[in-house]
Amino acid sequence: MKIAILPGDGIGPEIIDQAVRVLGALDERFEMETAPVGGAGYIAHGHPLPDATLKLAMQADAVLFGAVGDWQFDTLERPLRPEQAILGLRRELKLFANLRPAILYPELAGASSLKPEVVSGLDILIVRELTGDIYFGKPRGMRIAVDGPFIGEREGFDTMRYAETEIRRIAHVAFQAARRRGKRLTSVDKANVLETFQFWKEIVTEVHAEYPDVALDHMYVDNAAMQLVRAPKKFDVIVTGNMFGDILSDAAAMLTGSIGMLPSASLDANGKGLYEPSHGSAPDIAGKGVANPLATILSAAMMLRYSLNRPAQAERIEAAVKQVLAQGLRTPDIHETGTTLVGTREMGDAVVKALAV
Ligand code: IPM
Ligand code: MG
């Protein structure tokens, strides 16, 4: 089993280091190879997704990814910006299914900005389509408008589109996930305005016929945003398109008060995947040794479960993370009075130690 390790920018290298140490503390050895990506890829090879990095990611059984992006690259032209690395990996590896769990650990109930009774016990899963929608639709660009009320003016444009196969396959992933959990699926769309999502709704409804044991409901995205902060525990699994999923998953992550805790998986049709924390590269705290490595460590656990077929090892890591939280160890992002403030490396140490017992 070979794992491609892509640390990236900002806090990426620090948090990946801890996840690699945790993987190294398991009974089984995995082959790991590291390559630069994002701004680090641009500095090393002049491109955010260097050929050798893409090749490694394609050969490996799974990819463990840190984070990309840093202000110093914001002035580069779009194809050279760090974000293109993750978009390119999603496209080239055909990682169409993005699983973003939002779980509130009981020990962290106080970290949420919502009242504890609204969020305690929260356990929802967002299934975001990841390789279609307005993110990848063509044509796109900037041009002189040839029609509409502002004819002759400069305009920017993108294309929102979903093919039937794209909707069907993500719907299957979501129904199957719901079947393994609370058996409720909410499909989020904007069918009242957009043709793309009228079509989405129709296809998801068709796929539902194959999953009579799962309850399906449909919700407009604006309402879903409201319900997520009003009564988030009413959701079980949410399935939605690429852009709505981008927005709703950040909101869902923050319900837990600690985006530093949340892992994610991006899977292809065969279970190969890229695993990354839900948070970004946080350049403001990079190199200070204060970033929370737990989202990355939990992403490594998801990798063991979904791509490497090592569910028992995944559970061991998850149990070790629960244990360090129960011990009261907290990085600054989740720190409250009465708990013990630790840095990135100490948190990694504690998880490694918890694994040993
Ligand atoms: C995410 C990020 C990415 C996205 C960016 C970095 C391209 O926000 O993974 O949610 O928009 O998908
Ligand atoms: Mg996002």
Side-chain angles (χ1 to χ4, degrees), residues 31-282:
E31 191 189 337
M32 299 190 231
E33 193 177 329
T34 304
V37 75
Y42 177 77
I43 288 172
H45 301 289
H47 195 278
L49 183 55
D51 288 340
T53 302
L54 178 59
K55 205 170 145 213
L56 171 68
M58 295 189 93
Q59 283 169 353
D61 297 291
V63 179
L64 188 60
F65 187 94
V68 291
D70 191 308
W71 304 305
Q72 59 171 301
F73 305 109
D74 281 357
T75 50
L76 291 173
E77 49 179 316
R78 185 176 302 281
L80 295 179
R81 286 197 211 149
E83 291 76 13
Q84 294 304 312
I86 186 67
L87 294 172
L89 283 164
R90 289 171 184 171
R91 184 181 56 236
E92 297 301 322
L93 272 56
K94 303 186 170 48
L95 306 172
F96 70 89
N98 185 212
L99 311 184
R100 298 193 167 184
I103 294 173
L104 186 86
Y105 290 84
E107 293 87 354
L108 302 181
S112 176
S113 52
L114 297 192
K115 295 192 193 93
E117 63 267 28
V118 176
V119 289
S120 71
L122 182 79
D123 179 358
I124 62 183
L125 175 67
I126 296 190
V127 178
R128 168 188 177 194
E129 199 290 328
L130 204 57
T131 50
D133 203 351
I134 199 165
Y135 267 57
F136 292 94
K138 289 194 175 116
R140 57 183 284 162
M142 292 174 199
R143 64 184 172 195
I144 303 295
V146 292
D147 53 18
F150 300 101
I151 199 164
E153 260 191 38
R154 291 198 305 147
E155 68 175 6
F157 64 102
D158 296 273
T159 302
M160 177 177 271
R161 59 194 289 181
Y162 264 122
E164 182 169 346
T165 304
E166 286 179 294
I167 304 170
R168 277 188 192 280
R169 65 185 181 183
I170 194 69
H172 280 290
V173 170
F175 277 114
Q176 280 160 24
R179 186 170 261 177
R180 290 190 298 268
R181 298 172 38 108
K183 299 193 167 42
R184 286 183 300 112
L185 178 64
T186 303
S187 172
V188 171
D189 62 54
K190 191 71 189 174
N192 51 343
V193 178
L194 302 170
E195 300 300 326
T196 309
F197 277 91
Q198 176 62 44
F199 186 56
W200 170 282
K201 187 173 178 178
E202 283 170 25
I203 300 301
V204 172
T205 304
E206 276 179 37
V207 175
H208 183 210
E210 295 176 49
Y211 300 88
D213 52 322
V214 176
L216 171 70
D217 68 331
H218 303 273
M219 204 179 269
Y220 297 142
V221 62
D222 48 351
N223 185 26
M226 181 171 81
Q227 299 305 332
L228 261 181
V229 289
R230 194 183 73 89
K233 285 192 276 184
K234 293 221 169 118
F235 292 104
D236 177 17
V237 179
I238 292 174
V239 63
T240 190
N242 203 346
M243 184 161 69
F244 298 158
D246 177 45
I247 300 165
L248 293 182
S249 64
D250 263 28
M254 205 53 220
L255 293 174
T256 71
S258 50
I259 199 166
M261 292 296 303
L262 299 177
S264 76
S266 305
L267 306 173
D268 75 359
N270 307 310
K272 177 167 173 177
L274 179 148
Y275 299 82
E276 57 174 325
S278 282
H279 60 72
S281 56

